[in-house]
Amino acid sequence: MGRITETVKVLLIINVLFFFGSQFLGDLSYRLFALWFPENVNFQVWQLLTHMFMHGDLSHILFNMFALYMFGSVLEQSIGQQRFLFLYFSAGLGAAGLQILFSYIDYNSAFNAALEAGFSVNQIQEMIYNYSSTQQVFSALPQNVSSDLLSNYYTPMVGASGAIFGALAAFAVIYPNLPLYIIFIPIPIKAKYLIGGYFAINVYSAVTGSTLLGPSNTAYWAHIGGAVIGFIMMWYWKKNQFNANRWN
């Protein structure tokens, strides 16, 4: 896809450093830098930014960094460094925002279900905060209710996926008809169809709860949020560009 730009190179290096640092520090790094549910005691404002550089495992970071390498430099060369960085981090923040919104929806729905089951607010909070010692009490709740309470409260969000989805969406706006290839499929697919199809799969997975792509804990709403921000920003910039060759 051409020469790697300095900005993408720096982002790659920071992600790799964070990954190896998290392997060394272990749980402490995730407690400090992953994005926790705002009701969780581990939540800190800076995590809205730092979670974009944290990854769960080797395959997670390899996939994200490969996508950043393949599409990021071309995108930056097209729109300039400042706009690329603005889009990248805006998409990451938009991804975090949408994922948190739907986490709150699931969490509050489960919380209300527990209230309707006869538990008080204090009892529910005690069950959540000390779930390891209250598993017998949790057994009185439907499994999906207790699962939604615990998974939303205790599962942090990590990864550059939201920001990268924003870059992918922006790439599809600039180069909609550029032919792309998927490994093992020797047929070129236009960027607007390949990236659009990938986005559609994520929407389906987010709405239905199915896992067509990725593990069961994939933050599909984050992917959607990042892609929507990236698409809107690039559509606006392209529509209002003053220089057809470079937007600085």
Side-chain angles (χ1 to χ4, degrees), residues 1-207:
M1 299 293 286
R3 180 183 64 86
I4 183 172
T5 58
E6 288 301 315
T7 305
V8 170
K9 185 186 298 182
V10 170
L11 287 173
L12 290 170
I13 292 172
I14 295 174
N15 275 277
V16 171
L17 289 176
F18 262 79
F19 179 73
F20 283 111
S22 68
Q23 302 306 300
F24 177 75
L25 294 175
D27 290 342
L28 176 61
S29 64
Y30 289 95
R31 189 160 64 249
L32 289 175
F33 301 124
L35 178 57
W36 293 87
F37 186 57
E39 302 293 333
N40 191 295
V41 294
N42 290 323
F43 174 78
Q44 300 292 341
V45 174
W46 65 72
Q47 295 167 356
L48 292 168
L49 177 65
T50 57
H51 84 279
M52 301 182 203
F53 299 103
M54 298 289 292
H55 289 84
D57 54 34
L58 184 60
S59 62
H60 190 199
I61 189 173
L62 285 177
F63 181 83
N64 279 344
M65 294 306 98
F66 178 73
L68 177 59
Y69 165 74
M70 290 296 293
F71 298 97
S73 293
V74 177
L75 182 60
E76 182 184 352
Q77 290 169 356
S78 299
I79 66 177
Q81 181 188 60
Q82 292 183 0
R83 288 201 174 188
F84 172 75
L85 285 173
F86 185 73
L87 183 147
Y88 184 87
F89 286 108
S90 296
L93 292 173
L98 192 63
Q99 186 65 39
I100 288 174
L101 172 62
F102 278 93
S103 293
Y104 261 115
I105 291 173
D106 289 342
Y107 179 85
N108 288 335
S109 176
F111 202 99
N112 290 331
L115 288 174
E116 293 173 0
F119 293 95
S120 68
V121 171
N122 289 336
Q123 286 176 319
I124 299 170
Q125 291 176 338
E126 179 67 18
M127 285 190 291
I128 295 171
Y129 302 153
N130 302 290
Y131 76 96
S132 60
S133 60
T134 56
Q135 291 181 0
Q136 186 175 359
V137 182
F138 260 119
S139 65
L141 291 172
Q143 185 177 0
N144 65 308
V145 173
S146 59
S147 176
D148 283 345
L149 284 171
L150 293 177
S151 63
N152 285 292
Y153 187 86
Y154 283 106
T155 305
M157 177 179 166
V158 295
S161 302
I164 289 172
F165 259 81
L168 289 175
F171 183 93
V173 173
I174 300 179
Y175 304 107
N177 296 314
L178 184 70
L180 301 175
Y181 291 85
I182 303 178
I183 299 175
F184 305 125
I185 301 180
I187 302 174
I189 304 174
K190 292 182 178 180
K192 60 184 177 183
Y193 297 134
L194 181 59
I195 296 173
Y198 190 34
F199 174 78
I201 291 174
N202 277 268
V203 171
Y204 175 82
S205 296
V207 172

Side-chain angles (χ1 to χ4, degrees), residues 221-243:
W221 288 114
H223 296 176
I224 295 167
V228 169
I229 294 296
F231 176 86
I232 292 174
M233 291 180 65
M234 186 52 60
W235 175 83
Y236 177 80
W237 287 340
K238 186 176 181 180
K239 181 180 179 182
N240 295 279
Q241 62 177 304
F242 295 99
N243 185 324

